[in-house]
Amino acid sequence: MFSKACEYAIKACIFVAQSSIRNERVTPKQIAEEINSPVAFTAKIMQQLVKNNLVSSYRGAYGGFEIEKDRVAQISLSQIVSAIDGDKIFNGCGLGLDACSESHPCPVHHQYKTIRQDLQKLLDSTNLKQLALGIETGLSYLKT
Amino acid sequence: MFSKACEYAIKACIFVAQSSIRNERVTPKQIAEEINSPVAFTAKIMQQLVKNNLVSSYRGAYGGFEIEKDRVAQISLSQIVSAIDGDKIFNGCGLGLDACSESHPCPVHHQYKTIRQDLQKLLDSTNLKQLALGIETGLSYLKT
DNA sequence: TTTAATTCGGATATTTTTATCTTATTTATT
DNA sequence: AATAAATAAGATAAAAATATCCGAATTAAA
Ligand code: FES
Ligand code: FES
C-alpha cells in the first residue's frame, strides 16, 4: 500500500507531533529508536518532510525536528503520503494504465475508484493530533 | 497498491479468460501485446499463475495458456493477488508493524482495517468472467 | 572563539523489483 | 524421425527502493 519510506514518514511525524506538543525537539536518532527504523534513511525522509513544509528543522546544538504546535491538528495523513509517495495512490489506475479515466476505464476501474476514494477520505480526515493522542494514551503503538 | 507483476497478472488473466471462453489458447507474446507488458517478464508471471493453479499451460505446437471455461467465473481477483503479491495486503499492518493485531494496534489500525476489509470484499467478489465480459463488450480496456 | 551538537547534501552500497536472454524440454504435425 | 512451436527454468541485467557513510554548514553554549 505505502512505501517503506512512507510508513516511516507517518510514524516519524506522529512521534515528532507528540514531542512537539511537549515542546521537545527530536533528532533522527531518537525518531529511529522510537519507530524502529534505520537512522540515516529516516534522516533522509525527514529532509523530504521539511522540504514539503510538514516539519520544521533546526540545526546546531539544541536543534532537531519539530512541528509547530498549532499545526499538529492541521496536518493530515494524506499530506504526508503525498509528500513521500506522491498522489498516484489517490488518482492512479489500479491496474497501472497511464491514467485513470471514466472514458477509458480499466476492468477494475469502478470497483477500484470506490476503494481509492474511501482511502483518500480516511487519510484526509485523520490528523497528527488524533494519532499522537492515541500513542500518548497507550491506545496504539509505533513499534512492535 | 499492487506490484507491477500483479497488475500484469490481473490483466493477463482477464485476457486469457476472454480467449479461453472462445476456446483459444494464447502465448506470452500475444498476452504481452494485448496488455502492453514486457514479454519475458509476463511469461515468468504466467509460470507463477500456473504453479498456483489459476491458469493451465500446454507445451509444444498449438500449446499456450488457457483457463478452463468452467473455472473462469470461479477465479477471483483475490486469488490472483494472493498468488503474486501474497496476502500482506489482506492482513498486514498499514504502517509495517510485524503483525497487525487488535491488542497491539498501530496508530492507523482502526481506520486501515476498514479499507483493507473493503478491498478484500471487493477482490473476493470480483471474478474473471465479469471482467472478461467488460473487455469483450468494449466497456473497459486492458491497455491505454 | 572554540566546541559540541545538530541538520544538510552528495556519494555510495545493498536489496528488491522489474526485465531480458539463453538453453532445455515438451508436443503436434509432417 | 524430423521439424516447428510452444512452455519451463535458470542465469543475468537494469532499474528502483532501501539503506549507509561522510564531509560541510549551522548554531547554541561554554
Ligand atoms: S482506469 Fe484503472 S482504476 Fe480507473
Ligand atoms: S496494527 Fe497496523 S493496521 Fe493493524
Side-chain angles (χ1 to χ4, degrees):
Chain A
M1 182 78 76
F2 306 125
S3 69
K4 219 101 193 63
C6 190
E7 291 176 359
Y8 294 151
I10 293 172
K11 290 189 276 193
C13 281
I14 295 172
F15 175 58
V16 174
Q18 189 193 14
S19 303
S20 296
I21 290 173
R22 288 203 301 262
N23 298 304
E24 285 171 15
R25 289 180 185 161
V26 293
T27 68
K29 195 182 162 193
Q30 291 175 295
I31 299 172
E33 168 65 26
E34 200 69 16
I35 73 176
N36 192 31
S37 66
V39 180
F41 190 45
T42 305
K44 277 279 141 78
I45 294 165
M46 293 313 294
Q47 287 185 35
Q48 273 194 265
L49 293 171
V50 169
K51 270 188 196 147
N52 280 270
N53 269 303
L54 297 173
V55 170
S56 307
S57 67
Y58 299 88
R59 288 181 163 193
Y62 288 77
F65 297 94
E66 70 174 40
I67 298 175
E68 278 182 63
K69 261 185 175 178
D70 311 348
R71 296 194 60 205
V72 169
Q74 307 305 320
I75 297 177
S76 65
L77 283 188
S78 52
Q79 291 176 271
I80 299 170
V81 171
S82 287
I84 305 297
D85 280 353
D87 53 6
K88 211 184 95 182
I89 189 101
F90 298 127
N91 56 33
C93 168
L95 293 188
L97 296 194
D98 289 348
C100 168
S101 100
E102 295 293 337
S103 58
H104 192 89
C106 76
V108 304
H109 173 76
H110 294 293
Q111 296 97 320
Y112 188 72
K113 206 175 79 171
T114 312
I115 294 285
R116 219 178 41 185
Q117 284 173 341
D118 289 353
L119 180 65
Q120 172 138 37
K121 241 182 256 170
L122 200 139
L123 296 180
D124 275 343
S125 65
T126 306
N127 67 62
L128 288 179
K129 190 171 184 181
Q130 304 166 234
L131 300 178
L133 190 67
I135 297 294
E136 190 72 28
T137 59
L139 291 177
S140 57
Y141 305 86
L142 287 171
K143 58 178 173 185
T144 305
Chain B
M1 182 78 78
F2 307 125
S3 70
K4 220 96 192 65
C6 190
E7 292 175 357
Y8 294 151
I10 293 172
K11 289 187 276 194
C13 281
I14 294 172
F15 175 58
V16 174
Q18 190 193 12
S19 303
S20 297
I21 290 173
R22 288 204 299 262
N23 297 303
E24 285 172 14
R25 288 179 185 161
V26 293
T27 66
K29 196 181 162 195
Q30 291 176 295
I31 299 172
E33 169 64 25
E34 200 68 16
I35 73 176
N36 192 31
S37 66
V39 180
F41 190 44
T42 305
K44 276 280 139 75
I45 294 165
M46 293 314 294
Q47 288 186 34
Q48 272 194 265
L49 292 170
V50 169
K51 270 189 195 146
N52 280 270
N53 269 304
L54 296 173
V55 169
S56 307
S57 67
Y58 298 89
R59 288 183 167 194
Y62 289 75
F65 297 95
E66 69 173 43
I67 298 175
E68 277 182 65
K69 261 185 174 176
D70 311 348
R71 296 193 60 206
V72 169
Q74 307 306 320
I75 296 178
S76 65
L77 283 188
S78 53
Q79 290 176 271
I80 300 169
V81 171
S82 287
I84 305 297
D85 281 353
D87 53 5
K88 210 185 96 183
I89 189 100
F90 298 127
N91 55 33
C93 168
L95 294 188
L97 295 194
D98 289 348
C100 168
S101 102
E102 295 293 337
S103 58
H104 193 89
C106 75
V108 304
H109 173 76
H110 294 292
Q111 296 99 319
Y112 188 72
K113 207 175 76 171
T114 311
I115 295 285
R116 219 178 42 186
Q117 284 172 341
D118 290 351
L119 181 63
Q120 173 137 38
K121 241 182 256 172
L122 199 138
L123 296 180
D124 275 343
S125 66
T126 305
N127 67 62
L128 288 180
K129 189 171 184 182
Q130 305 166 232
L131 300 180
L133 190 67
I135 298 295
E136 190 71 27
T137 59
L139 290 177
S140 58
Y141 305 85
L142 287 171
K143 60 179 173 185
T144 304

